[in-house]
Structure formats: C-alpha cells, structure tokens
C-alpha cells in the first residue's frame, strides 16, 4: 500500500456516530450487498461517496456531491488542466484583440443523452442560467453586452469592457461549473430546481434506479465522443472504461472500511484518519492523499436575521472560535491539518493571515463576552445546523457550539442529515420559522483561491451565497481586483479584501486539512484531480 499526497476529508468521530447514521445503515448495507455482485463483474465500480445524493441540480447548489453528479452526466465548454490553464472541452475558443469578444465553436460529435445534437442555443441558455447563480458568473454578466448563438455551432460572447479572467471562471471546476444542458432545461428559473436530467456527458443518469440519499447509478453513454487529447486534470479526453458506476451511501465509517477491505465496494471517497491502520494492513487497498492543498473548513453566518445581522455580534463569534480544537476533533492527526486564517487558502498566491491571530491561536472568549455585552446581545438563540451523516462535517458544529457557549451565546444546535441542511440553508425565513443562523462547510482550496470565485467573498445581498451579505465595499474591492493590471496589484487588493472579510466576518475560516481517499488495488488510472471523476479509471481482474 502506498501513501501519496493529500485528498479528501476525514473526520472521524467513529466514537460518536449519530443515531441517524445508524438508522440508515441497514438500508445502505442492503444496497451494498446488491452492489457487491455488480462490482465483481469487472464492468461496475461501486463507490461510497462523502454524502448521499438528493439534490440533482448542480446550478442551484454548491454541494460537492451534486457537483460530482454534474461531472458524471454533463460536460463543459472549457476545462482546466493541471496547471489551471483553460483548455477546449466541448468547444474551441478565440478572443478578439481588444478582449471584448469571445467566440466558442462547438466541436463535432456532441450529442445529448436523448439523441439530440448539442447546439449553441443550448450553451447560451445554460450559461445564462449559470450566470445568475455563480459568483464569478455574476461578475462576467455585469459587463456582458450580448451572449448569442450566431449559428448552430457558434456562441459569441460580447463584453462592454474587457474581463481578463473570463476563461478562468468559465473553465473552473467548482463551485458551480457552467454545465451545458438542453435549452429546454436551462430555461428553468435559476431559483427553481430542474426535473429533466438530460446531459451530454460521458455517463447517463439512470433515473429509475435512483434512491435519494441511498443509491445512484450511472451508465456509460455509448454515443459520447471524447476529445483526442490525453486526459489532463479536468481537461482532455473523457474515456469511459467501465459500463456502470454505482454510488451507495454508507454513513457508518467502520462498515464502509470493512466493505472496502472485503471487496464489497471498490472506492471510498472519505477515509477516517483514525481507521487508517485497518486499511494499511490490507494488501488489496491503496490509500491516497491526492491533493496537496486540501480543503478549508469554515463557518457561515446568516446576515438577514438576529443576532448575526449585527457586525459586533459576528465579530464576537469569530473572536470566540479557535481553529486547533476544531481541526484536532475533525482530523485528529496533525500530519493532515494546519491552522490557516487565509481567506484565499494557504499555499496560494493570495495567502494572507491578516486579522486571524485569535483564530489560529487560542481564541478570546473573554474578549468575545465583552463585545457581546457592548453589542447588547439579548440571548437571541443561535440556530446552528449540525449535519450528522458526513464525517468531514460532524465535528465543527459540536466544537463551535461549545466555543460560542463559553463566550456567552445561547446556542440551539439542531441535528439533521447533510442534504436536509443543504436544502434548509437556502431558506431566508427566520430561524424560528425553519431558517438558520450558522452552519459549517468545506471548500477545496482551489475553489476559494481568488475573490472572483470564492463564494463567501460576495457582497451582493440576495444574489450572494447563502447568508446573503449586502456589502458594497466588498464589491468595490472585487471590481478593483478585476481591473488590476499586475499580480502585485492583485496581491495588494487581495490583502485588503482579507482584512475586510475578517473585519465584517463574511465567514470564519477554521483551517485546512488534507483529505484521504481509498480504493481497491484493481481500480487503476484514477485522475489526480480534486474532483473524484470516473472517466479514464479502469477495473482490472
């Protein structure tokens, strides 16, 4: 068994697994038993992903499991290679000398799963819907003069002023990739979930076998035509070598580990660190840490309702928190985590620790209490949503709730599964009426590495990410970043954004961790990319 460089999350409260997880175990075990026979025929890969899949629209949510689902069944116009360089995927592209016109020409052979050809009109409708939800897309459409299909294969995107990072944003692999859907689907309101899951990607969603939160099946799309270039991160030829990929939910980590060792499953997206010795003893399992930057874990507050509509109370909450207890409980082994207050992630060009001394230190409960008193905090309950079925998200709410209580907050921690949380966080209702005050999530560091793509660094109110901060100053800083003409200038503006985000507490960065994946040794050629994809991968005898 080999241990390589670092990839998906690991938590690890094996010692405190929830009743809800246990309740799902019987159902998921039955699914795995059925999947085991398929997994042994060499044509099916059975995978346990980090979460059960319930939300199927990759534009209305930033949940990673839904994004992963999107990459299975949809494709994108442009994709990034391992150097983060945009490369043609569904379309070749050209940029006019004045930087105002981008032309995308669809390649031959593109076909939707229903047999219809992919057209430029489909791409235009998809980009327009995406642009209403994605933080970077919103910025592009701010300066869009027109976006039109000039013929069946040509998309012409005309800007009112140059926007240098356009291709970088359109090719990004998260948080909301601009997946191309049929126009009839993409014309669905960006605030309403789609109900037609026709894509043109390398796999077909087998809707009749879908059991929300339990099992999802993908079949190879026989008519998919891969690009001729070798696969390179998210770019290049998406060659599918298996007939079927089946995702099954197993919320109990020990059961998933045992299933991997016994060969009942082929792949485990999250490997609890405290259970690694079991896998290290197996000659049939490979443990991989594939992403050297890893994930940032963080808390997000709701700006619409008390008490976090008050900046002083948000500041008190940040002051109350300390990263080390969160990371120690979440990961356990310091080899796999680091304290990091950088809004744009540690190890990135825009890294900065400004304003995060208490977070990366021991916190300041006494200072938080004093600030709460100064703000006139009246004991308004803080509804803190706690997911119980995703191992990389179970520790943060528990530790943060304790830290907030020690500082004087009245915390109402409410347990639920992750997909319920993902649905509930979209509600702008008052916390007493089904809304919320704070939740915790994780982002891959490449997803947050720039103010143009970091969803938390968005001050557009109702058009911002969940939490909905109205922050004109932040939007002005982002506009300055776009207009900057040098890397040094961008770095200086990013430093000011870091200071601003921490000062007004757009969110609370709680450190970085390096996630671990595991697979059977006969699962080969997995792409070394942060997104777990199933093209190129093969299953040997």
């Amino acid at each position: 068994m080999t241990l390589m460089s670092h990839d998906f999350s690991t938590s690890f409260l094996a010692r405190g697994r929830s009743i809800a997880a246990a309740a799902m175990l019987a159902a998921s075990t039955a699914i795995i038993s059925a999947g085991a026979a398929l997994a042994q025929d060499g044509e099916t890969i059975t995978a346990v992903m980090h979460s059960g899949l319930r939300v199927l629209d990759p534009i209305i949510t930033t949940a990673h499991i839904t994004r992963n689902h999107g990459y299975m069944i949809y494709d994108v116009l442009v994709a990034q290679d391992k150097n983060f360089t945009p490369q043609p995927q569904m379309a070749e592209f050209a940029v006019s000398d004045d930087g105002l016109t981008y032309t995308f020409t669809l390649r031959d052979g593109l076909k939707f799963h229903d047999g219809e050809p992919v057209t430029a009109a489909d791409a235009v409708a998809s980009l327009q819907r995406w642009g209403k939800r994605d933080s970077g897309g919103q910025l592009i459409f701010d300066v869009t003069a027109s976006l039109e299909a000039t013929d069946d294969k040509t998309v012409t995107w005309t800007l009112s002023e140059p926007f240098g990072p356009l291709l970088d944003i359109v090719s990004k692999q998260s948080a909301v990739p601009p997946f191309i859907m049929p126009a009839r689907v993409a014309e669905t309101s960006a605030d309403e979930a789609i109900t037609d899951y026709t894509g043109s990607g390398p796999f077909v969603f087998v809707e009749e076998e879908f059991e929300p939160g339990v099992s999802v099946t993908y079949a190879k799309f026989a008519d998919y035509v891969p690009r001729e270039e070798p696969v390179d991160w998210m770019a290049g030829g998406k060659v599918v070598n298996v007939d079927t990929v089946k995702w099954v939910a197993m919320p109990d980590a020990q059961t998933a580990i045992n299933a991997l060792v016994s060969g009942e499953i082929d792949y485990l997206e999250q490997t609890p660190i405290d259970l690694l010795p079991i896998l290290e003893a197996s000659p049939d399992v490979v443990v991989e840490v594939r992403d050297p930057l890893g994930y940032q874990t963080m808390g997000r507050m709701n700006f619409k309702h008390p008490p976090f509509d008050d900046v002083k109370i948000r500041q008190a909450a940040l002051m109350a928190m300390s990263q080390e207890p969160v990371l120690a409980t979440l990961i356990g082994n310091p080899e796999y985590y680091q304290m990091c207050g950088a809004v744009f992630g540690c190890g990135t060009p825009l890294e900065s620790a400004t304003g995060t001394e208490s977070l990366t230190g021991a916190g300041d409960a006494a200072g938080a209490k004093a600030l709460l008193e100064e703000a006139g905090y009246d004991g308004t309950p803080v509804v803190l949503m706690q997911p119980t079925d995703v191992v990389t998200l179970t520790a943060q709410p528990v530790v943060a709730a304790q830290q907030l209580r020690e500082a004087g907050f009245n915390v109402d921690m409410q347990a639920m599964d992750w997909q319920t949380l993902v649905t509930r966080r979209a509600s702008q209702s008052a916390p007493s009426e089904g809304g919320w005050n704070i939740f915790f999530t994780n982002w891959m560091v490449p997803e947050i590495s720039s103010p143009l793509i970091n969803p938390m660094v968005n001050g557009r109110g109702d058009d911002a990410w969940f939490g909905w901060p109205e922050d004109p100053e932040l939007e002005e800083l982002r506009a300055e970043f776009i207009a900057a003409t040098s890397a040094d200038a961008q770095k200086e503006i990013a430093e000011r954004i870091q200071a601003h985000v921490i000062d007004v507490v757009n969110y609370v960065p709680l450190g970085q961790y390096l996630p671990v994946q595991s697979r059977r040794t006969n699962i080969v050629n997995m792409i070394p990319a942060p997104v777990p994809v199933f093209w190129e991968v093969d299953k040997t005898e």
Side-chain angles (χ1 to χ4, degrees):
M1 186 200 70
T2 59
L3 185 64
M4 302 172 66
S5 31
H6 293 85
D7 197 316
F8 193 54
S9 54
T10 53
S11 129
F12 335 168
L13 300 173
R15 37 200 184 261
R17 297 188 176 89
S18 68
I19 295 175
M24 290 179 64
L25 180 57
S28 60
T29 301
I31 294 295
I32 289 297
S33 298
L38 291 173
Q40 292 169 1
D41 67 8
E43 299 296 332
T44 295
I45 291 177
T46 303
V48 172
M49 307 300 283
H50 70 275
S51 169
L53 176 68
R54 293 183 185 274
V55 181
L56 298 176
D57 186 344
I59 302 302
I60 67 167
T61 181
T62 55
H64 283 154
I65 191 66
T66 306
R67 174 211 60 191
N68 297 349
H69 160 76
Y71 273 109
M72 296 293 282
I73 67 173
Y74 301 110
D75 213 341
V76 292
L77 295 182
V78 187
Q80 289 183 0
D81 63 19
K82 64 178 178 292
N83 298 314
F84 295 89
T85 301
Q87 300 292 348
Q89 187 57 36
M90 295 177 75
E92 306 296 322
F93 56 85
V95 186
S96 63
D97 291 341
D98 61 6
L100 294 178
T101 302
Y102 289 74
T103 304
F104 298 88
T105 305
L106 297 177
R107 62 185 175 91
D108 294 335
L110 297 177
K111 186 183 297 185
F112 285 115
H113 298 155
D114 60 5
E116 293 297 314
V118 179
T119 70
D122 299 311
V124 167
S126 298
L127 290 168
Q128 289 172 333
R129 184 171 188 261
W130 163 80
K132 291 180 173 67
R133 300 288 300 199
D134 182 72
S135 180
Q138 291 170 351
L139 293 171
I140 298 172
F141 277 91
D142 284 346
V143 296
T144 292
S146 64
L147 175 62
E148 56 187 355
T150 48
D151 60 43
D152 282 349
K153 298 189 67 173
T154 307
V155 174
T156 303
W157 201 334
T158 305
L159 307 179
S160 58
E161 60 185 71
F163 190 98
L166 185 145
L167 289 173
D168 294 324
I169 292 175
V170 171
S171 65
K172 67 189 179 73
Q173 47 78 29
S174 257
V176 181
F179 293 118
I180 303 304
M181 304 175 180
R184 68 174 189 276
V185 179
E187 287 165 358
T188 305
S189 167
D191 297 318
E192 178 184 344
I194 62 173
T195 57
D196 180 335
Y197 312 109
T198 303
S200 67
F203 291 93
V204 177
F205 172 60
V206 184
E207 189 167 359
E208 61 271 21
E209 295 187 22
F210 178 50
E211 297 185 56
V214 178
S215 175
V216 55
T217 301
Y218 303 95
K220 178 180 179 178
F221 180 33
D223 289 340
Y224 182 79
V225 180
R227 293 191 66 88
E228 294 182 357
E229 300 91 341
V231 67
D232 185 353
W233 212 53
M234 305 307 292
K238 298 179 179 180
V239 177
V240 175
N241 296 313
V242 296
D243 292 332
T244 309
V245 174
K246 192 176 187 72
W247 294 355
V248 293
M250 297 193 77
D252 183 81
Q254 181 68 63
T255 301
I257 291 287
N258 292 343
L260 185 65
V261 171
S262 67
E264 293 179 350
I265 64 173
D266 300 305
Y267 170 79
L268 181 60
E269 187 185 1
Q270 293 184 357
T271 306
I273 297 297
D274 59 352
L275 297 180
L276 277 179
I278 298 173
L279 298 180
E280 291 169 346
S282 172
D284 300 317
V285 174
V286 176
V287 175
E288 296 175 306
V289 195
R290 304 162 68 88
D291 175 9
L293 293 176
Y295 279 64
Q296 182 184 93
T297 189
M298 62 197 65
R300 176 70 162 191
M301 301 173 194
N302 190 331
F303 285 62
K304 282 190 169 292
H305 300 288
F308 294 135
D309 58 341
D310 185 328
V311 65
K312 287 187 177 180
I313 295 178
R314 295 198 302 273
Q315 290 169 342
L318 183 146
M319 195 177 294
M321 294 189 201
S322 170
Q323 292 183 353
E324 203 281 332
V326 172
L327 293 168
T329 307
L330 174 66
I331 306 300
N333 186 341
E335 179 182 348
Y336 295 95
Y337 70 78
Q338 69 176 117
M339 269 69 79
C340 171
V343 166
F344 302 118
C346 287
T348 71
L350 301 182
E351 175 183 348
S352 169
T354 298
T356 60
E357 294 78 10
S358 67
L359 278 174
T360 56
D364 184 359
K369 284 183 179 179
L371 196 54
L372 278 182
E373 184 175 351
E374 179 185 336
Y377 175 62
D378 61 1
T380 298
V382 171
V383 173
L384 186 156
M385 297 192 291
Q386 178 205 11
T388 58
D389 61 336
V390 178
V391 294
T392 53
L393 292 169
T394 54
Q396 299 92 317
V398 175
V399 177
Q402 178 182 349
Q403 293 178 337
L404 290 170
R405 287 172 180 142
E406 289 175 354
F409 283 92
N410 175 15
V411 179
D412 175 14
M413 187 166 66
Q414 299 184 7
M416 63 198 73
D417 65 73
W418 174 242
Q419 293 303 309
T420 298
L421 188 154
V422 166
T423 301
R424 184 170 170 180
R425 72 183 180 183
S427 171
Q428 295 187 355
S429 298
S432 61
E433 299 173 356
W436 57 277
N437 291 118
I438 186 171
F439 72 94
F440 297 83
T441 190
N442 308 320
W443 290 93
M444 295 184 299
V445 171
E447 296 175 311
I448 62 166
S449 60
S450 159
L452 304 184
I453 62 174
N454 187 325
M456 267 69 61
V457 183
N458 181 324
R460 292 174 174 244
D462 286 352
D463 290 330
W465 200 64
F466 311 108
W468 310 285
E470 187 78 42
D471 193 337
E473 183 178 345
L474 178 56
E475 289 304 294
E476 290 176 6
L477 287 167
R478 292 211 297 165
E480 284 188 48
F481 186 91
I482 294 168
T485 57
S486 70
D488 288 343
Q490 287 186 330
K491 174 68 174 174
E492 186 275 330
I493 297 164
E495 181 79 23
R496 285 191 279 140
I497 293 174
Q498 164 87 20
H500 177 84
V501 166
I502 297 301
D503 183 50
V504 304
V505 198
N506 284 85
Y507 75 103
V508 183
L510 288 171
Q512 273 175 229
Y513 65 91
L514 299 165
V516 180
Q517 298 179 358
S518 303
R519 58 180 168 85
R520 299 284 296 177
T521 54
N522 66 331
I523 302 300
V524 297
N525 300 325
M526 289 200 77
I527 298 170
V531 179
V533 296
F534 291 88
W535 55 80
E536 193 71 14
V537 64
D538 206 349
K539 184 173 182 177
T540 62
E541 294 298 328

